[in-house]
Amino acid sequence: MAKPRVILITGASSGIGKATALKLQAQGNIVYGAARRIEKMTDLAAAGVHVLKLDVTDEKTLVAAVATIKAEQQRLDVLINNAGYGSYGALEDVPLAEGEYQFKVNVFGVMRLTQLVLPIMRAQHRGRIINVSSIGGKIYQPLSAWYMGTKHAIEGMSDALRMEVAPFGIDVSIIEPGGIKTEWAGIAEKKLLEVSGETAYHDQAVKVGAMLSLFDQFASNPGVIAKLMARAVNDVKPKSRYHAGMSSGLALNGRHWLSDRQFDKMMTLAINGAAKLAKLEHHGQRAGKRHYQHN
């Protein structure tokens, strides 16, 4: 029987991270689920997951988490960098401090934790690093420059890292989720409207916000990405990239085959379509409410 893997996954308190931690634990692995909101991981602890309090922007918690795993298991086979959030708003409107924090969470936190685990994996001459990007690491939307910038950075840095660590028996894979039903879309929409809802970018903010809100209605279940994560962990020869989730294939193929200007038009059509659909739903809800009151 294969030896269970020791796995660390960040952002395990909700969504993709929680679903993945539970799936990998159920497969018989030794899983450490890490997040800032430790109170939201009681179900993970009950399932046998080792729960760690970790903030990817806090050096002390990063060092402590890696030291705990090394002391308890003497090894670390897989690191899944899943923690992150989406900061939306026009580039002109987003305060520089917010843009810097977006990179601190989505990029620098990922790379710092990777730095800390690499000596362990090099000493073992084996290991697997899985970085959660997004289809946003390949495509783009208006009012998403900071977020998309972080995901494009993850893509490029992961590719470079994959070549650097290959001689030490370490693999690097990227996960590119499409639309997934998590807290992400709601947080991104709220931030977008707070930042650009009352500025010169108001009209675009409303339309892009409508597109984000559709994620909550039509997005794929986090379990879809949990299965993909398990593949990236278990594949004998892991792929450099995996993608799944609502519209992931369509978006990535569109970006591959269309010119920049053609893709701009396709994205504009999608955003305008989402706005029209949201308006129709809103009118339908209002009409239904009036009908109910009339009766």
Side-chain angles (χ1 to χ4, degrees):
M1 183 175 178
K3 192 175 183 181
R5 294 177 176 86
V6 178
I7 302 171
L8 169 60
I9 178 168
T10 65
S13 62
S14 65
I16 292 171
K18 177 169 284 192
T20 301
L22 289 170
K23 185 169 189 63
L24 293 173
Q25 175 68 26
Q27 290 182 345
N29 298 293
I30 301 168
V31 180
Y32 285 78
R36 291 179 298 117
R37 300 176 297 179
I38 199 166
E39 70 280 0
K40 289 184 172 287
M41 296 191 288
T42 54
D43 53 344
L44 294 186
V49 174
H50 300 262
V51 170
L52 295 174
K53 186 174 179 62
L54 182 147
D55 181 341
V56 295
T57 67
D58 185 335
E59 174 77 4
K60 290 182 179 179
T61 67
L62 294 175
V63 171
V66 174
T68 295
I69 296 171
K70 187 175 181 180
E72 293 179 357
Q73 306 297 337
Q74 292 78 54
R75 61 192 172 93
L76 177 58
D77 302 305
V78 182
L79 167 64
I80 301 177
N81 284 305
N82 170 71
Y85 78 105
S87 182
Y88 270 56
L91 182 68
E92 182 180 349
D93 296 335
V94 176
L96 189 59
E98 168 61 21
E100 291 174 344
Y101 187 70
Q102 175 82 146
F103 269 82
K104 193 172 183 180
V105 173
N106 289 9
V107 180
F108 292 110
V110 169
M111 296 307 161
R112 179 54 183 147
L113 185 54
T114 300
Q115 286 181 329
L116 291 170
V117 307
L118 279 174
I120 300 173
M121 291 183 175
R122 280 194 298 101
Q124 300 167 171
H125 205 76
R126 70 178 186 279
R128 198 162 291 191
I129 296 169
I130 300 169
N131 291 331
V132 178
S133 176
S134 164
I135 58 171
K138 292 282 187 61
I139 68 166
Y140 51 85
Q141 298 169 334
L143 311 188
S144 66
W146 290 107
Y147 173 71
M148 298 294 182
T150 65
K151 294 306 182 181
H152 277 69
I154 288 294
E155 296 269 341
M157 296 181 80
S158 296
D159 284 335
L161 179 65
R162 185 176 63 252
M163 296 185 70
E164 292 173 11
V165 300
F168 304 105
I170 303 169
D171 283 307
V172 178
S173 295
I174 301 168
I175 304 292
E176 298 170 331
I180 303 297
K181 193 181 290 293
T182 68
E183 297 175 338
W184 181 91
I187 293 170
E189 182 185 10
K190 182 174 183 289
K191 181 75 71 173
L192 167 63
L193 296 177
E194 286 176 353
V195 172
S196 293
E198 301 298 330
T199 73
Y201 300 91
H202 166 78
D203 290 346
Q204 287 188 63
V206 171
K207 290 178 180 179
V208 174
M211 173 175 271
L212 290 171
S213 71
L214 287 179
F215 277 26
D216 287 333
Q217 297 180 50
F218 302 108
S220 302
N221 188 281
V224 170
I225 303 302
K227 290 180 181 178
L228 208 62
M229 294 275 210
R231 280 184 56 196
V233 168
N234 296 320
D235 282 352
V236 175
K237 293 184 178 180
K239 296 180 180 180
S240 59
R241 282 171 171 78
Y242 298 81
H243 70 83
M246 185 190 74
S247 299
S248 60
L250 176 64
L252 293 174
N253 284 328
R255 187 67 187 107
H256 179 75
W257 293 108
L258 299 177
S259 70
D260 292 344
R261 297 297 184 184
Q262 288 172 331
F263 189 84
D264 290 355
K265 290 179 181 178
M266 186 187 83
M267 183 58 68
T268 299
L269 287 171
I271 291 169
N272 289 338
K276 288 179 181 178
L277 181 59
K279 187 177 290 187
L280 286 172
E281 288 185 347
H282 178 68
H283 287 326
Q285 289 170 356
R286 291 186 63 184
K289 185 176 181 182
R290 288 197 298 271
H291 181 70
Y292 173 77
Q293 288 175 338
H294 177 72
N295 285 308

